[in-house]
Amino acid sequence: MALFGSSLKSRMVTREEALPGRDVRPYPVPTHHAVLGTPLEGPWPEGTQVLYVAMGCFWGAERTFWRQPGVVTTSVGYTGGFTPNPWYEETVTGRTGHTEAVMVAYDPSQTSAEALLKVFWESHDPSQVNRQGNDVGTTYRSAVYWTTEEQREAVERTKAAFEPRLRAAGFGPVATELRSFEDAGPYYLAEDYHQQYLHKVPNGYCGLGGTGVSCPVGVVGA
């Protein structure tokens, strides 16, 4: 792609600049999770809740979450942008506005948004702007998109508890994009080969790396 290295990779594209996309999904996706065996797009058990997170390359991020207790299913995709039904090759140019995201569907009787957000904060560097490590561009920005008021409150509590510890450890302020999924969506599932990639390719690339700073879940709000 000629646009690799373009300034559009490091600044958010506008709606007017974004690629036009298409009306329908341009590729097939699997129906079930390759590890958990659960549907990628539902239906899920009654009461299942959904949270969307982005923390750099979505391969390692997805594996981190499918391993968490209480998670019903995960998938990877593109959200937070403008271009409808994008291809991967389009998103990495920065010209769709999307970030590489993980959809986490979970059973709130077995886990909580706060517990999942602890994993989120600790598993990457949320002080980095439009990048994670060597993965550079708005496609790799840190983000949380909530779907319930309880999740929004958990995002605010955990950020407020984690950020001072991050700063005390010598990192910058949290740069994570925080907004509702209603505002950020829709979410477009990524291509088949991206789904559960590190299960299919165990030695594949994983750029995920935390800061070593712990998020004090359990004392949050105390």
Side-chain angles (χ1 to χ4, degrees):
M1 281 278 187
L3 287 164
F4 281 9
S6 162
S7 64
L8 282 178
K9 291 190 71 178
S10 57
R11 71 168 176 84
M12 187 64 176
V13 71
T14 66
R15 186 178 297 275
E16 291 71 30
E17 293 170 328
L19 295 172
R22 52 204 57 83
D23 293 335
V24 297
R25 183 185 290 161
Y27 45 75
V29 297
T31 59
H32 286 72
H33 197 283
V35 178
L36 302 177
T38 46
L40 287 192
E41 298 184 275
W44 302 309
E46 184 177 354
T48 298
Q49 295 186 4
V50 176
L51 180 69
Y52 297 87
V53 298
M55 44 206 290
C57 176
F58 51 21
W59 293 340
E62 186 190 18
R63 181 174 63 181
T64 296
F65 283 98
W66 83 55
R67 291 174 167 175
Q68 300 307 309
V71 169
V72 175
T73 201
T74 60
S75 67
V76 295
Y78 316 114
T79 193
F82 305 111
T83 300
N85 295 293
W87 289 91
Y88 173 75
E89 288 79 6
E90 293 173 331
T91 66
V92 295
T93 68
R95 293 191 65 200
T96 72
H98 297 296
T99 186
E100 289 195 6
V102 180
M103 184 281 298
V104 185
Y106 64 96
D107 180 349
S109 71
Q110 300 296 318
T111 189
S112 66
E114 192 169 270
L116 295 172
L117 287 163
K118 174 180 171 67
V119 174
F120 168 79
W121 294 121
E122 294 179 353
S123 297
H124 75 305
D125 181 356
S127 72
Q128 294 194 345
V129 178
N130 293 331
R131 70 179 300 161
Q132 281 295 304
N134 293 327
D135 295 321
V136 179
T138 57
T139 309
Y140 303 107
R141 68 187 184 270
S142 173
V144 178
Y145 306 125
W146 58 80
T147 62
T148 70
E149 180 64 16
E150 291 76 16
Q151 289 175 2
R152 182 192 65 78
E153 293 172 355
V155 168
E156 293 179 352
R157 287 196 307 270
T158 54
K159 175 182 179 289
F162 182 68
E163 188 166 30
R165 294 194 173 194
L166 190 69
R167 299 293 295 270
F171 294 90
V174 166
T176 304
E177 179 184 347
L178 305 174
R179 54 178 170 147
S180 70
F181 177 70
E182 182 179 10
D183 181 53
Y187 170 78
Y188 302 101
L189 262 72
E191 294 86 333
D192 186 354
Y193 72 95
H194 289 300
Q195 305 298 333
Q196 299 85 62
Y197 176 83
L198 290 179
H199 169 71
K200 300 170 184 175
V201 186
N203 296 320
Y205 170 76
C206 176
L208 198 64
T211 60
V213 180
S214 64
C215 181
V217 165
V219 298
V220 171

